[in-house]
């Protein structure tokens, strides 16, 4: 069974500083990893994904994530945080299972960017 | 191309009533997934449907919960005889027929059982 762990319930960072939101995974076979963001009272929005290729993936709103196979991690990063980045971030693993995607989400990390 | 549409956005039900949550997938998507988000928790998979078929309902409670995705019309998640513990946000997602594209999520229905 696949699993996704987000070890931090909340991350606080000052505006303008770099941010990292951590994610580790346990997936058999090749992992397909995604990050989603959820703003208050909204649905999830896709940020970026890793399927194959370069380990550094660039996504929406200046976010990027680094796939590290040896550490089974897929941490989300941004060089300079904005107050508007404050939201709930979910890491997810997609696995093709019997011809369809089975998606396992982490429990989410609340990012608070302090002005 | 409208996104995934869920309605209602907010639903209040008294204990014992029925709740019906609707999800219209994106145009051209025939795969629908339902997730439940409890307060301060992540999203938990409930059920995966294709048109007229339930493919995987391993995350659905065995009683009171059912889902359908008819040939015509939206997907429906139905909760009978609701209890306070059913209060949560329910999200629907859809994906295209062909592979590992990111799932597109609706804005969710927030169910409150009073």
């Amino acid at each position: 069974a696949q699993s996704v762990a987000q070890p931090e319930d909340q991350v606080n960072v000052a505006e303008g500083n770099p941010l990292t939101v951590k994610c580790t995974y346990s997936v058999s076979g090749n992992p397909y990893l995604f990050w989603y963001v959820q703003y208050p009272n909204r649905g999830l929005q896709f940020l970026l994904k890793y399927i194959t290729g370069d380990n550094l993936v660039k996504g929406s709103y200046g976010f990027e994530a680094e796939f590290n196979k040896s550490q089974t991690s897929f941490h989300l990063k941004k060089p300079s945080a904005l107050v508007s980045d404050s939201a709930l971030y979910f890491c997810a693993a997609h696995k093709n299972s019997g011809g369809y995607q089975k998606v396992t989400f982490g429990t989410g990390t609340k990012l608070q960017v302090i002005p | 191309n409208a996104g995934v549409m869920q309605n209602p956005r907010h639903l209040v039900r008294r204990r014992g009533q029925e709740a019906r949550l609707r999800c219209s997938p994106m145009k051209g998507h025939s795969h629908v997934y339902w997730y439940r988000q409890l307060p301060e928790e992540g999203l938990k998979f409930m059920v995966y449907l294709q048109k007229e078929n339930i493919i995987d309902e391993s995350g659905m409670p065995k009683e009171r919960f059912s889902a359908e995705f008819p040939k015509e019309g939206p997907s429906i998640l139905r909760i009978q005889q609701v209890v306070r513990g059913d209060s949560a946000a329910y999200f629907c997602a859809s994906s295209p027929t062909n592979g590992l594209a990111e799932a597109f999520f609706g804005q969710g229905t927030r169910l409150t059982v009073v």
Side-chain angles (χ1 to χ4, degrees):
Chain A
Q2 60 186 29
S3 65
V4 175
Q6 292 181 245
E8 301 156 316
D9 290 337
Q10 181 158 337
V11 170
N12 296 324
V13 62
E15 186 177 23
N17 282 3
L19 69 88
T20 299
V21 182
K22 295 179 181 176
C23 171
T24 59
Y25 64 89
S26 173
V27 174
S28 58
N30 293 323
Y32 303 110
L33 301 166
F34 291 65
W35 276 100
Y36 293 87
V37 60
Q38 184 182 27
Y39 296 101
N41 299 314
R42 302 284 296 276
L44 273 70
Q45 296 178 30
F46 167 78
L47 270 183
L48 50 79
K49 65 184 177 186
Y50 171 83
I51 303 294
T52 186
D54 288 341
N55 289 343
L56 186 63
V57 178
K58 294 190 182 296
S60 308
Y61 313 120
F63 283 92
E64 57 190 27
E66 186 169 10
F67 172 67
N68 188 317
K69 188 172 184 178
S70 62
Q71 297 184 5
T72 62
S73 67
F74 189 55
H75 301 331
L76 181 71
K77 299 182 180 185
K78 187 172 182 180
S80 178
L82 301 173
V83 173
S84 57
D85 293 330
S86 298
L88 192 56
Y89 290 82
F90 289 97
C91 183
H94 290 225
K95 184 180 172 70
N96 228 5
S97 173
Y100 69 93
Q101 295 184 56
K102 191 138 188 173
V103 184
T104 302
F105 285 90
T107 50
T109 298
K110 183 178 180 180
L111 174 66
Q112 191 76 34
V113 180
I114 302 159
Chain B
N1 187 4
V4 178
M5 304 301 292
Q6 288 188 250
N7 68 81
R9 292 288 308 279
H10 300 275
L11 181 62
V12 179
R13 284 287 178 265
R14 295 186 183 281
R15 282 179 294 172
Q17 290 185 320
E18 178 180 285
R20 280 184 178 240
L21 289 64
R22 296 175 186 78
C23 169
S24 296
M26 286 184 70
K27 189 177 180 181
H29 288 191
S30 60
H31 297 219
V32 166
Y33 311 80
W34 284 94
Y35 290 84
R36 177 164 62 176
Q37 183 179 28
L38 292 166
E40 308 303 323
E41 292 188 22
L43 280 83
K44 302 294 184 185
F45 168 79
M46 297 183 75
V47 62
Y48 160 59
L49 310 105
Q50 292 181 14
K51 284 282 186 182
E52 301 184 276
N53 285 305
I54 296 174
I55 307 301
D56 182 347
E57 55 182 348
S58 57
M60 287 265 278
K62 294 286 185 274
E63 298 179 350
R64 304 188 297 108
F65 284 73
S66 62
E68 63 178 18
F69 189 15
K71 189 176 179 181
E72 302 290 339
S75 175
I76 306 287
L77 180 67
R78 183 180 174 204
I79 311 172
Q80 295 178 292
Q81 299 175 326
V82 296
V83 300
R84 288 238 170 95
D86 297 332
S87 296
Y90 292 83
F91 289 96
C92 168
S94 74
S95 66
T97 57
N98 57 346
L100 292 168
E102 64 276 12
F104 293 83
F105 282 80
Q107 291 187 302
T109 294
R110 275 156 184 82
L111 172 66
T112 302
V113 180
V114 297

